[in-house]
Structures are given as structure tokens and as C-alpha cells.
Amino acid sequence: MRKLPRFGREACFVLLLIMLGSAISVISWGYGFGSLRQPGPGLYPFFIGAAIVVCALVLLIAELRSGKDEEPLDTDAAKTLAFMTLTFCLWIAAMPLLGYVIVTLLATCAFCKIMKLEGWRKPLALSAGTALFIYALFDHWLYIDLPRGFLG
Amino acid sequence: MEGLELLYNGFANTFTTVNLVACFIGALIGTLVGVLPGLGPTATMVLMLPFTLPYGPTTGLIMMTGVWYGAMYGGSTTSVLVNIPGEAASVVTCIDGYQMCRQGRAGAALALVAVGSFVAGTIGILGLQFFAPMLGRAALSFGPPEFLCFMILAFVLLANLSAEAPLKGALMIALGLFLGTIGINPMDSYPRFTFGSEKLMLGIDFLPIAVGLFGISEVLMTAIQKYVRPVVSRIRLRELYPNREEIRRSISPTLRGSVLGFFVGLLPGPSTVISTFVAYALEKRLSRTPERFGKGAVEGVVAPESANNSAVMGSMIPLLTLGIPFAAPSAIMLAGLRMHNVEPGPMLFTTNPDVFWTFIAAMYLGNLMLLVLNLPLVGAFARVAVIRPQILLPVISVICLVGVYSVRNSLFDVWVMIGAGVIGVFLRLWKFPIAPFIIGLVLGPTTENSLRQTLLMFKGDVTLVADRPLALTLLALAVAFLAYKLAAPLFGSKRALNIQEGRSL
């Protein structure tokens, strides 16, 4: 029996692009296509959306016909990716409250531990050094006023 | 004579403390980045962009080019000593460079590479100095149809040269062009794809997207990969002397690589990477003893390294004369210049000649700085290669975060950066090239402007392009290239340049 082509993650992404391209074209049409003589605001994005759909469709067919399986991320790599992203998000959420120096110190320490830098002395020293460097660079060298949180 | 006078003024402008420091910092950081596997010159240039904003456009341009240039120098160090290319343009150098290292000739290889890079850099700058103003004057005759057709040709070449699958390249260009349409259209003040969000009215800023795609995604990719600590051979200063035979063998390949690299640099896509493969293949073909290649032939080390240095200068020509970047680093430069309200293009030589000539003068100086830095400090740079990512990546991550926030004091920009970074990881995993996306994003508004002006000029009759010989030629070249690519598999053509290592950049 002929094996059905596997619909992997990459194919899902390409399918998403087809949907995005279609949405771009439909929305652009609503902006007013105009004519070639008097182009409207939707003309250019309409063609871009159409180009995305065509390219992604051909790519999807090629992906499915090739039948190749992409290697999934192993658990360790997926965990690292998730925790790193979470730390980035927490930096954004906490920065206005705690100020950029403290958040930078905490985030650097978190990054070190996520990346398995052994012990506590090295991560803490690196975090303190980085926070000091960032403070000197932005505050004293570039004179950029960044939120300082409760340190005011 | 006018050129010499302008160059003299350029040197006078360069010899300011700020520009000299910018040149030195750019060259030094570039060399370090070239040495460190993982972080490429594009990511570093993006990261440094916010720090150039308090200074003038010339200072920013000098620092950016210093990084790009320095990375080309530094990339060879780990290729020769550790067999790990510091960046994509040094992949070819590993082949013979590491073999020379195993034969105890690492010092000689690095010295010849440093001198070769200096010669290539100088030839590249001379080429830029000679051709750019000339082409700039010629480009003044470009109207909207010519610009549009030139961009179509550039996109066709870019899609084909940047990706393993040209469709992926084309898709990324289209996505970049789409992102450029978000916000209020300056031509008719019509808000597009804003969905009522005030933050989107001004459009998606280039910087967070670029830092996300090149900086954050690079950090995340390195974090999820297994790290193998490299073993670096020690180099002493006295070991840097090449013997007479090695010098003799390296002269012609250096000169050939320099000239070839400059012209390959004019191509869209990862031209610095392509130039190294072409230079290596050419030297092997010209050699009377091709069997030595792969076993420590000095020609196989100096030719690619010379080519990638002069390619940097070659790829500055489309940017400076037409305002069209052909590679990711030059797209970053274009964005940086725009942040300073300087628009490169044909008018640059009349409206801002000081920017161009100060840049040329600074490049001469930067080239010399790199030679002085790279010869005696090669041992120190080699030791940098063993810095673990666990130390380096946390620092880069927080610089990305604070750097992007500091430009507009906007947390929205930081969210955009993180989103782009995570998407960038999957794009890299699935081998979608990122450079075409960034180039599409930068060129999006210009492309739309040219399209609209062309349609208005032709009153909707696109066949009138036949009355514009230059536009027609450019369009015909794009169509011919596409036809060739589509027809090649039918005729069983298997000739292809293996540039996969650099394509994912």
C-alpha cells in the first residue's frame, strides 16, 4: 500500500503562510484595489498576498511529495527554548516595576542557569558584571533615561 | 583632481576622536565576532545599531563596516586553528587552512591571510572609490520604471542565491515586503493592516525585527545546540613568518581573489560567502598541481580570504549608488543611515558627499587597523574562540533587550523582537533564509513607491516599459534568469555551486 505523505510541522507552517497570504489579499481588496491607471492602497499588498499564496502552495506540494521528515527538537532543547523565551517575557513584564538594572541582573542569572552554567559563583559574578556594564553603558555613556523602578 | 580633494577632506573628517574610536571599536568587535562561532556579523551590526544613534551617520557607517570587515578578517583565525569557521564566509578556509595548521604552518597561513585581506581590502576600497561615484552619476538617469525593474531583478537573483529552495527565498522576500506595508501608507495616508492599533499606525520598526531575527534567534539556536569545546593551537609571534615559497605562491591568488571578490560582491545574496567558493574553485582550476588542494595549499587559503574581504566593498556599491542593499549586512546599514535621515542612492554624492568620502577614508584606516590588530594579536583572538556560550549568550541577550527598548522606550518593540526571535528559530530549523526577509522589509516601501509611480507614469499601460531600454533590459534579465532556472532541470543541468553553509544566514 502506498504510504501517505506525512504532514509535518514545516508543512503546517507553510499551510499557515497560505492562510496568511489569502488573508492579506482579501483584506487588501477591501482597502480598494483601484486600477492600473489609478492604483488604490490595496493593489500592492494584494499582489504580495497572492505571491505568498502561490509560493507557499508550490512549496507545500513539494514538501508533501518529498516525504522527508524533519528532525524534531529533543526534549532538552525544547525545554531550553521555552525557558529562555519565558525569561525574555518576564524581563519585559518586570522591567517597568523593578527597573532595568535589577531585571537585567536577574535575567542574566536566569539565562546562565538555563544554559547550565555550573555553580552559583560564576552566574552571580557574571550577572553583577553585566548589570554594571549595562548601567555604565546606557546611563553614563549614552545618557539614555531608562526606567529605574523602585530604585528611582 | 576633485576626487583627491574630496578624499583629502574625507581623511580630515576621519581624524576626529569619535570616528577613530568608532573605526577601532568596529574593527575590534568585528574581529572578535569573526572568531566566535555562532554570532555572525549581521547579528552584531544589528546589536550595535542603537549605540550608533547618538553619533552622526558617518560614525555609524564606519562602525558598521568595521564590524563587517573585521568579521571577514577574524573568521579565518578559527578556520585555520580549530577547523571551525567563525562565520559562513570562512567555511572554505577550513579546507586547506586547517591542513596547514596540522603541518605546523598555522602562523604562516594566518600571516598570509592577514596580509592578503589587507591587500584585498585596499583593492576593494579603490574599486568602491572609483566605481561608486561613476555609477552614482549613471544612476541619476534611473526613473521609477528602472528602479522597479532593477528591484525585480535583484529579488529574482536574491531568492535563487540565498536559499536551498528558491521558493523559500521568494516566500521570505514576499513576507518582508508585506511587513513593510503595515501602517499608514505615506502616499495616500491610508492605514493598512493596523486593525485599529495605534502602535501599528507608524508601521513595524525595522530594528526589533532585525535584532529578533538575527540576534535573539541566533542566541536561542546556539543555546539549544550541543557545545563542543574547541582545542586551539598556540601561536607565537615568531611563527608568523611565511617562507619564500609560500609568499611566492600566495601573490597571484591574493590579487585574483581580490578582483574576483569585488565583482562577486555586486551580486545579490550572500556574496561574501559565494565569493570564497568561486575563488577557491578558480584557484584549483588554474593550479598546475590541483591535487595539493585539500592538503594544505596556501592558494586555497589566501584566495577565498582575499575574495571575502573585497566582496564586502563590492556589495557596498549597490547600497551607496542605488540605495538598494543586496545583502543582509548592507540592509542593516541602509536602516542605520535612514535612522540618521540619510538616504543612500544616486543623490548621496551630491547631497552628502562628505558621508561617502569620510567613509572611504575611514575604510583605508580601518583596513590598516585590522592588519595591525590581527598580526600580533592572533594568539589572543584564538583564545577568545574557547569562551563558552554559557558566558557569552546571557550578556548578548540582555544587550538585545535593553538596546531595543532604549531606542524608542517602547516595550511593544521588545515584544516584537522576542516574537521575531522565536519565529527566527523555526525559520532557521526549517532552512528558510532570513536575509531575503530583511531585505524585503527594508525595500518594501521603495518597491511600492516605484510601482505606483511607474503605473501612474505609464497611465496603467505596462507595455510602455518597452520604450525604456534600460528598464526593459533589466526586466529581460530577470525573466531570462527565471526561464533558465525553470528549464535547467529539464536539460539535466547539474552544475551548482555548493553554498549551503552560507545560505541559511
Side-chain angles (χ1 to χ4, degrees), chain A residues 10 13 17 24 31 36 39-41 44 48 58 77 84 88 92 95 115 118 122 130 137-138 141-142 147, chain B residues 51 55 167-168 171 174 178 181 190 192-193 220 224 388 390 393 398 405 415 418 430 444 448 452 455 460:
Chain A
E10 190 178 340
F13 174 68
L17 291 180
I24 293 168
Y31 293 149
L36 289 181
Y44 173 73
I48 291 175
V58 180
M84 293 278 287
F88 281 125
I92 304 173
M95 208 272 278
M115 295 188 67
E118 63 278 0
K122 271 186 198 169
T130 307
L137 181 67
F138 286 91
W141 187 20
L142 299 171
Chain B
F51 306 113
Y55 308 101
L167 268 176
K168 287 186 176 177
L171 201 51
F178 159 65
T181 64
Y190 195 94
R192 293 181 301 191
F193 307 105
L220 292 172
I224 61 176
R388 286 182 295 166
Q390 287 101 319
L393 297 187
V398 291
Y405 178 81
W415 282 116
I418 302 302
W430 295 328
E448 181 172 12
R452 279 194 153 203
L455 289 174

Side-chain angles (χ1 to χ4, degrees), chain A residues 9-10 13-14 17 20 23-24 27-28 30-32 35-45 48 51-52 54-56 58-59 63 68 70 73-74 76-78 80-81 84-85 88-89 91-93 95-96 100 104 107-108 111-112 115-118 122 126 130 133-134 137-138 141-142 144-147, chain B residues 25 50-51 54-55 164-165 167-168 170-171 174-175 177-178 181 185 188 190-195 216 219-220 222-224 226 388-395 397-399 401-403 405-406 409 411 414-415 417-418 422-423 425-427 429-430 432 443-445 447-448 451-452 455-456 459-462:
Chain A
R9 291 182 191 86
E10 190 178 340
F13 174 68
V14 178
L17 291 180
L20 174 74
I24 293 168
I27 295 170
S28 305
Y31 293 149
S35 63
L36 289 181
R37 188 182 273 267
Q38 194 63 48
L43 181 128
Y44 173 73
I48 291 175
I52 292 174
V54 172
C55 291
V58 180
L59 196 63
E63 284 288 326
K68 65 169 192 220
E70 74 257 25
L73 280 179
D74 62 53
D76 245 16
T80 308
L81 183 63
M84 293 278 287
T85 311
F88 281 125
C89 296
W91 185 95
I92 304 173
M95 208 272 278
Y100 77 103
T104 297
T108 313
F111 285 132
C112 290
M115 295 188 67
K116 301 184 179 77
L117 186 63
E118 63 278 0
K122 271 186 198 169
L126 186 68
T130 307
F133 168 71
I134 294 280
L137 181 67
F138 286 91
W141 187 20
L142 299 171
I144 295 172
D145 196 21
L146 296 171
Chain B
I25 291 178
F51 306 113
Y55 308 101
E164 197 180 317
L167 268 176
K168 287 186 176 177
L171 201 51
L175 285 170
L177 291 174
F178 159 65
T181 64
N185 182 13
D188 47 23
Y190 195 94
R192 293 181 301 191
F193 307 105
T194 54
F195 307 107
I216 297 291
V219 164
L220 292 172
T222 315
I224 61 176
K226 297 259 182 300
R388 286 182 295 166
Q390 287 101 319
I391 306 274
L392 211 61
L393 297 187
V395 182
S397 303
V398 291
I399 290 177
L401 287 164
V402 185
Y405 178 81
S406 70
N409 277 11
L411 282 176
V414 190
W415 282 116
M417 176 187 80
I418 302 302
V422 175
I423 292 171
V425 170
F426 292 100
L427 291 177
L429 285 173
W430 295 328
F432 281 85
L443 288 181
T447 312
E448 181 172 12
L451 175 71
R452 279 194 153 203
L455 289 174
L456 289 170
K459 294 192 172 68
D461 184 3
V462 285

Side-chain angles (χ1 to χ4, degrees), chain B residues 181-222:
Chain B
T181 64
I182 295 174
I184 293 178
N185 182 13
M187 272 168 282
D188 47 23
S189 304
Y190 195 94
R192 293 181 301 191
F193 307 105
T194 54
F195 307 107
S197 160
E198 274 179 37
K199 289 199 165 72
L200 289 175
M201 289 285 184
L202 290 174
I204 300 277
D205 193 33
F206 169 83
L207 194 73
I209 294 279
V211 177
L213 286 175
F214 287 104
I216 297 291
S217 75
E218 190 84 59
V219 164
L220 292 172
M221 278 300 283
T222 315

Side-chain angles (χ1 to χ4, degrees), chain B residues 204-432:
Chain B
I204 300 277
D205 193 33
F206 169 83
L207 194 73
I209 294 279
V211 177
L213 286 175
F214 287 104
I216 297 291
S217 75
E218 190 84 59
V219 164
L220 292 172
M221 278 300 283
T222 315
I224 61 176
Q225 281 163 355
K226 297 259 182 300
Y227 173 68
V228 182
R229 194 183 168 91
V231 181
V232 181
S233 314
R234 293 196 72 163
I235 296 288
R236 291 184 185 85
L237 202 60
R238 64 172 181 273
E239 291 170 359
L240 288 172
Y241 294 110
N243 59 37
R244 199 170 284 185
E245 176 65 8
E246 285 165 340
I247 295 173
R248 191 185 64 77
R249 280 183 177 277
S250 64
I251 293 172
S252 299
T254 299
L255 295 174
R256 270 195 296 270
S258 306
V259 176
L260 181 96
F262 181 79
F263 288 105
V264 175
L266 297 169
L267 289 174
S271 53
T272 51
V273 183
I274 297 171
S275 70
T276 58
F277 284 87
V278 178
Y280 187 84
L282 179 74
E283 286 311 317
K284 197 172 175 181
R285 187 164 288 183
L286 290 178
S287 175
R288 285 182 192 152
T289 51
E291 66 279 2
R292 287 189 309 106
F293 281 73
K295 294 171 188 162
V298 72
E299 299 92 323
V301 182
V302 292
E305 281 299 322
S306 305
N308 68 27
N309 271 271
S310 57
V312 170
M313 285 300 139
S315 58
M316 294 299 292
I317 288 190
L319 171 70
L320 293 174
T321 58
L322 295 165
I324 298 175
F326 276 0
S330 42
I332 309 295
M333 281 190 201
L334 175 61
L337 284 170
R338 280 178 179 168
M339 284 175 176
H340 289 284
N341 293 321
V342 173
E343 188 65 42
M347 297 304 286
L348 179 77
F349 303 94
T350 43
T351 52
N352 291 92
D354 52 320
V355 171
F356 176 74
W357 291 101
T358 309
F359 167 72
I360 290 286
M363 282 306 97
Y364 278 116
L365 198 72
N367 204 21
L368 194 68
M369 272 185 192
L370 278 164
L371 183 70
V372 174
L373 264 176
N374 272 267
L375 273 178
L377 294 179
V378 70
F381 284 129
R383 278 197 286 279
V384 171
V386 297
I387 295 179
R388 286 182 295 166
Q390 287 101 319
I391 306 274
L392 211 61
L393 297 187
V395 182
I396 295 169
S397 303
V398 291
I399 290 177
C400 288
L401 287 164
V402 185
V404 164
Y405 178 81
S406 70
V407 176
R408 299 201 298 186
N409 277 11
S410 160
L411 282 176
F412 175 73
D413 283 354
V414 190
W415 282 116
V416 171
M417 176 187 80
I418 302 302
V422 175
I423 292 171
V425 170
F426 292 100
L427 291 177
R428 283 166 193 264
L429 285 173
W430 295 328
K431 295 191 169 56
F432 281 85

